[in-house]
């Protein structure tokens, strides 16, 4: 048994104290390592940089640990027992790492638990001690790790079958709000950390419907005995990271429903979509996964082209499930889909990078985005979701609606249950083709391996929806939808000139964040990081940009002033309409649309 003890003796310094006990160290000299990345977030994060102190002893006598590289240490040969004590600096408020202060602690095992090389498959135990500063004993601890001997507040001993399991259960401790429900016979809990007041019953009811649908989608029994949503509520931030029987989420208070408000706000819709997405990962990536991830190699990059499938398919289903679970109507769903279509179409990177290249290069491109990213890369989440849409339509069309993407996902799940094998790099394509007994290579060559436009118009037409592209009417216009073929679309405001850049407010003007390839801002010589201070000699803020452009629509160009590296520059901004990159969806066949949006096997 490999045993850890985790304590917090100096929360104001944001430190986690860990003690590792090993009774059977490698007689040739035990090596210890800390992961360099966390599954689900494909970037080298060098968690070992946060180990600020480490020492070791054997049978009560101090020994020297030799550091071999940035994330591994070597103990001397000939030891019959090994104790390692180390401190982890935890001040990364994200779902990926660790964060500690006097009010709470959140951490992933990849930030905290050194791996014992050669003994990763051995059982592991961890004792979580109550933080020293919690003298009133008001803190609780929440994790999906199997408990062995804990008190009523959750502190105590937990067990894991191996190291991979140990690091796949994030931990939250502090004073938090705990909500409970059951779905598919499985107890679920939602932990909210951070000040928040919201309609708790609505959240419970809505998440229960999502979880029940997804369990039924893949089929009972669910692959976990219990499930935990760990939700950090903050003033700014958004994201999620999946685990085998839990998820870590970060949202703002605006993402939670107001008591008495029956409408579903866009912010709350984003929260439900995030929960749906991470929960779907319980099957699609935590069990069904790339063969190259079995086992995980956490010391270096693990390259795969399959993130288009694991993140793209999940992104396709996360909002579709909200319709199927009865939480949103078809118009709301199509509005969300229009935003995805618009987002992909507005990125020139879709013409530069294929979705499989995006997956393979996630380590140094997708997860390290900069001011030029929209011009150089495409999202395997967003474009992957559109690939899923096109594949769903193609399977239906090729089989007279007998085979769908639902069929493919369930085939993947049954295959994993039978074999436990990961997916080879071309296996989704081969399995999809086998369902319809048709050569689909032409579609996959176009959708996955080229930068050609996806056949989204054809796919949506088959699903009963007409897609038309138009110019944006403002910087906030992300597309629209008509409810039925008989109903004309809402009047579209006149097209105003566009800047060709995203901006954020800054003292004295607006800061350019990203400049679009070929747009007016680029041709005026503007670049990411520039401070735009005047348009046609008028001061400017984010709220002013659209108004200034509309006011000067009759001109061919006008003067702008901006600072770069502290130096004032003058240039001329071309006045021109934006490209037709905004999606408008119109329902032309309601019955066909309903056939797509409903699960043929399940009814809610």
């Amino acid at each position: 048994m490999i045993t850890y003890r985790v304590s917090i003796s100096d929360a104001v310094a944001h430190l986690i104290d860990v003690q590792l006990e090993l009774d059977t160290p490698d007689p040739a000299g035990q090596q210890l390592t800390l992961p360099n990345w966390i599954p689900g977030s494909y970037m080298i994060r060098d968690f070992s940089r946060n180990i600020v102190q480490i020492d070791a002893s054997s049978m009560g006598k101090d020994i020297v640990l030799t550091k071999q590289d940035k994330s591994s240490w070597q103990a001397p040969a000939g030891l019959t027992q090994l104790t390692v004590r180390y401190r982890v600096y935890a001040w990364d408020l994200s779902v990926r790492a660790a964060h500690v202060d006097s009010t709470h602690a959140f951490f992933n095992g990849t930030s905290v638990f050194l791996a014992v090389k050669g003994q990763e498959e051995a059982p592991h135990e961890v004792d979580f001690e109550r933080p020293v500063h919690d003298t009133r004993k008001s803190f609780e601890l929440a994790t999906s790790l199997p408990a062995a001997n804990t008190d009523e507040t959750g502190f105590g001993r937990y067990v894991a079958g191996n190291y991979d399991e140990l690091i796949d259960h994030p931990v939250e401790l502090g004073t938090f709000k705990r909500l409970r429900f059951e779905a598919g016979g499985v107890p679920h809990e939602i932990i909210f950390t951070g000040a928040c007041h919201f309609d708790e019953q609505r959240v419970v009811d809505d998440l229960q419907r999502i979880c029940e649908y997804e369990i039924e989608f893949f089929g009972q029994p669910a692959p976990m005995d219990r499930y935990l949503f760990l939700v950090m509520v903050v003033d700014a931030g958004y994201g999620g990271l999946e685990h085998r029987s839990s998820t870590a989420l970060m949202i703002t208070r605006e993402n939670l429903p107001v008591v008495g408000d029956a409408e579903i706000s866009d912010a709350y819709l984003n929260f439900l979509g995030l929960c749906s997405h991470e929960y779907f990962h319980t099957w699609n990536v935590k069990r069904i996964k790339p063969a190259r991830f079995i086992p995980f190699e956490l010391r270096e990059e693990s390259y795969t082209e399959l993130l288009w499938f694991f993140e793209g398919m999940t992104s396709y289903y996360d909002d579709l499930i909200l319709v199927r679970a009865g939480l949103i109507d078809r118009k709301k769903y199509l509005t969300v889909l229009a935003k995805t279509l618009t987002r992909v179409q507005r990125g020139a990177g879709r013409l530069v990078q294929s979705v499989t290249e995006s997956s393979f290069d996630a380590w140094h491109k997708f997860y390290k985005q900069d001011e030029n990213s929209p011009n150089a890369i495409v999202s395997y989440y967003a474009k992957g979701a559109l690939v899923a849409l096109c594949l769903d339509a193609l399977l239906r069309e090729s089989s007279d609606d007998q085979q769908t993407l639902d069929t493919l996902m369930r085939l993947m799940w049954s295959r994993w249950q039978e074999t436990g094998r990961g997916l080879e790099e071309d296996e989704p394509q081969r399995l999809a083709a086998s369902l319809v007994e048709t050569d689909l290579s032409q579609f996959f060559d176009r959708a996955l391996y080229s930068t050609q436009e996806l056949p989204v118009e054809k796919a949506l037409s088959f699903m009963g929806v007409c897609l038309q592209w138009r110019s944006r009417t403002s910087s906030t216009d992300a597309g629209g939808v008509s409810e039925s073929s008989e109903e004309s679309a809402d009047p579209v405001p006149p097209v105003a000139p566009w800047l060709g850049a995203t901006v954020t407010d800054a003292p004295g003007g607006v800061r350019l964040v990203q400049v679009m390839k070929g747009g007016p801002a680029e041709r005026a010589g503007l670049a990411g990081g520039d401070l735009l201070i005047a348009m046609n000699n008028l001061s400017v803020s984010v709220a002013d940009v659209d108004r200034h452009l509309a006011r000067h629509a009759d001109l061919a160009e006008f003067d702008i002033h901006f600072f770069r590296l502290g130096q004032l520059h003058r240039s001329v901004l071309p006045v021109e309409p934006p490209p037709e990159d905004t999606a408008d969806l119109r329902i032309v066949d309601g019955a066909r649309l309903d056939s797509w949006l409903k699960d043929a096997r399940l009814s809610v």
Side-chain angles (χ1 to χ4, degrees):
M1 183 70 70
I2 298 169
T3 303
Y4 304 81
R5 186 172 75 238
V6 177
S7 58
I8 298 173
S9 59
D10 196 351
V12 295
H14 321 300
L15 294 173
I16 300 174
D17 302 295
V18 186
Q19 179 170 303
L20 166 61
E21 296 279 356
L22 180 60
D23 291 334
T24 55
D26 185 343
Q30 183 61 61
Q31 187 179 55
L32 307 167
T33 66
L34 195 70
N36 288 320
W37 61 280
I38 181 170
S41 185
Y42 306 104
M43 187 176 89
I44 297 297
R45 299 190 181 275
D46 293 330
F47 296 119
S48 60
R49 75 187 191 279
N50 292 315
I51 294 182
V52 297
Q53 180 182 335
I54 185 169
D55 57 60
S57 62
S58 179
M59 306 300 290
K61 295 183 179 180
D62 292 344
I63 62 170
V64 175
L65 288 178
T66 302
K67 194 165 187 179
Q68 295 183 306
D69 55 39
K70 64 182 179 181
S71 57
S72 64
W73 293 259
Q74 179 87 33
L79 301 181
T80 58
Q81 187 275 336
L82 177 63
T83 299
V84 181
R85 292 168 295 274
Y86 54 101
R87 307 191 92 181
V88 178
Y89 179 70
W91 196 237
D92 181 349
L93 187 59
S94 74
V95 298
R96 301 175 299 267
H99 185 267
V100 170
D101 63 18
S102 59
T103 67
H104 94 120
F106 168 83
F107 50 87
N108 286 285
T110 44
S111 293
V112 171
F113 298 121
L114 285 170
V116 179
K117 188 173 182 180
Q119 299 191 45
E120 292 90 347
E121 294 305 312
H124 290 60
E125 286 184 348
V126 55
D127 284 303
F128 294 113
E129 297 185 343
R130 184 176 297 278
V132 171
H133 67 278
D134 181 29
T135 56
R136 296 184 179 181
K137 296 185 177 181
S138 60
F139 278 19
E140 296 181 75
L141 185 144
T143 181
S144 52
L145 264 172
N149 183 19
T150 61
D151 63 22
E152 66 279 2
T153 62
F155 289 96
R157 178 162 295 182
Y158 293 81
V159 296
N162 52 42
Y163 182 78
D164 183 64
E165 181 182 357
L166 177 71
I167 63 173
D168 207 11
H169 298 273
V171 177
E172 174 72 40
L173 57 94
T175 56
F176 42 70
K177 191 186 302 289
R178 187 192 301 262
L179 306 179
R180 296 180 173 89
F181 64 90
E182 186 174 291
V186 176
H188 289 62
E189 290 185 333
I190 321 169
I191 302 299
F192 290 94
T193 300
C196 53
H197 178 71
F198 58 95
D199 190 337
E200 297 177 13
Q201 190 58 52
R202 184 177 184 185
V203 169
V204 167
D205 293 343
D206 290 349
L207 288 193
Q208 183 179 41
R209 296 178 75 168
I210 290 169
C211 296
E212 285 180 341
Y213 174 82
E214 294 192 18
I215 290 172
E216 291 301 322
F217 177 87
F218 286 101
Q220 293 203 45
M224 64 288 190
D225 295 327
R226 58 186 291 257
Y227 193 87
L228 183 65
F229 292 92
L230 293 174
V231 186
M232 288 182 282
V233 185
V234 296
D235 60 339
Y238 183 82
L241 188 63
E242 69 276 0
H243 298 275
R244 67 181 61 192
S245 54
S246 63
T247 181
L249 307 174
M250 179 176 287
I251 61 170
T252 68
R253 294 164 186 86
E254 287 67 35
N255 287 114
L256 296 171
V258 176
V259 176
D261 186 358
E263 297 299 317
I264 183 167
S265 67
D266 288 344
Y268 182 46
L269 180 60
N270 287 340
F271 172 65
L272 294 179
L274 179 64
C275 292
S276 175
H277 183 100
E278 303 304 338
Y279 197 73
F280 198 85
H281 274 317
T282 306
W283 293 266
N284 193 39
V285 93
K286 295 311 299 183
R287 273 80 181 176
I288 313 167
K289 59 169 64 81
R292 293 183 180 180
F293 286 0
I294 303 178
F296 282 113
E297 173 48 70
L298 297 178
R299 288 177 57 81
E300 60 189 18
E301 296 89 342
S302 186
Y303 294 100
T304 177
E305 294 182 341
L306 281 174
L307 296 183
W308 72 267
F309 181 86
F310 290 101
E311 293 296 353
M313 292 288 168
T314 303
S315 296
Y316 174 67
Y317 274 104
D318 56 22
D319 292 315
L320 183 61
I321 284 167
L322 302 185
V323 184
R324 292 179 171 181
L327 298 177
I328 61 175
D329 61 21
R330 63 187 189 180
K331 184 173 183 180
K332 178 71 77 171
Y333 171 72
L334 290 178
T335 300
V336 174
L337 178 57
K339 291 180 180 179
T340 303
L341 289 159
T342 300
R343 175 186 168 194
V344 173
Q345 192 69 16
R346 286 181 180 174
R350 77 188 192 284
L351 304 176
V352 176
Q353 183 188 58
S354 72
V355 73
T356 46
E357 290 171 335
S358 175
S359 172
F360 197 86
D361 292 338
W363 302 90
H364 68 285
K365 289 190 176 182
F366 187 80
Y367 272 90
K368 295 183 179 181
Q369 295 191 30
D370 58 24
E371 67 283 345
N372 191 51
S373 292
N375 304 319
I377 68 173
V378 68
S379 168
Y380 53 77
Y381 285 86
K383 186 175 179 180
L386 300 184
V387 171
L389 165 67
C390 294
L391 179 57
D392 198 357
L394 181 59
L395 292 175
R396 293 169 186 267
E397 185 177 18
S398 301
S399 66
D400 293 327
D401 287 318
Q402 297 304 302
Q403 305 293 343
T404 71
L405 199 61
D406 299 346
T407 319
L408 178 61
M409 292 307 305
R410 288 164 181 148
L411 174 63
M412 297 277 195
W413 177 239
S414 62
R415 175 193 169 283
W416 182 87
Q417 289 178 301
E418 292 171 2
T419 68
R421 292 192 298 107
L423 293 181
E424 299 300 331
E425 295 294 286
D426 65 343
E427 201 158 0
Q429 300 93 291
R430 290 189 281 111
L431 289 175
S434 70
L435 285 177
V436 292
E437 299 180 345
T438 302
D439 182 3
L440 303 180
S441 59
Q442 186 175 1
F443 166 77
F444 284 118
D445 286 346
R446 175 180 177 179
L448 303 183
Y449 304 107
S450 84
T451 57
Q452 299 178 55
E453 301 285 18
L454 292 172
V456 286
E457 291 91 343
K458 179 182 177 182
L460 285 167
S461 178
F462 182 80
M463 303 295 207
V465 178
C466 175
L467 165 62
Q468 293 183 319
W469 297 105
R470 60 168 175 80
S471 298
R472 74 192 75 182
T473 59
S474 70
S475 58
T476 59
D477 179 14
V481 60
S482 298
E483 174 62 22
S484 68
S485 57
E486 293 80 19
E487 178 185 330
S488 60
D490 294 334
V492 176
V495 173
W498 74 314
L499 180 62
T502 59
V503 297
T504 184
D505 270 321
V510 297
R511 185 76 62 186
L512 274 73
V513 179
Q514 294 170 323
V515 175
M516 308 309 167
K517 183 175 178 61
E522 184 185 67
R523 293 196 285 115
L526 291 168
D530 289 347
L531 180 67
L532 179 63
I533 61 171
M535 301 175 73
N536 203 26
N537 299 313
L538 298 173
S539 64
V540 61
S541 67
V542 169
D544 295 328
V545 171
D546 284 346
R547 290 197 293 266
H548 283 331
L549 290 168
R551 180 176 293 277
H552 298 95
D554 60 318
L555 302 180
E557 59 186 32
F558 58 78
D559 288 347
I560 58 171
H561 291 80
F562 63 96
F563 281 105
R564 177 181 296 169
L565 302 177
Q567 182 176 343
L568 180 64
H569 296 268
R570 172 190 171 278
S571 187
V572 176
L573 183 78
V575 178
E576 58 187 41
E580 293 184 344
D581 57 9
T582 304
D584 261 349
L585 300 178
R586 182 168 55 89
I587 300 170
V588 295
D589 187 337
R592 189 73 204 153
L593 174 61
D594 288 340
S595 176
W596 165 38
L597 297 182
K598 292 179 181 177
D599 188 331
R601 200 186 74 171
L602 302 178
S603 60
V604 178

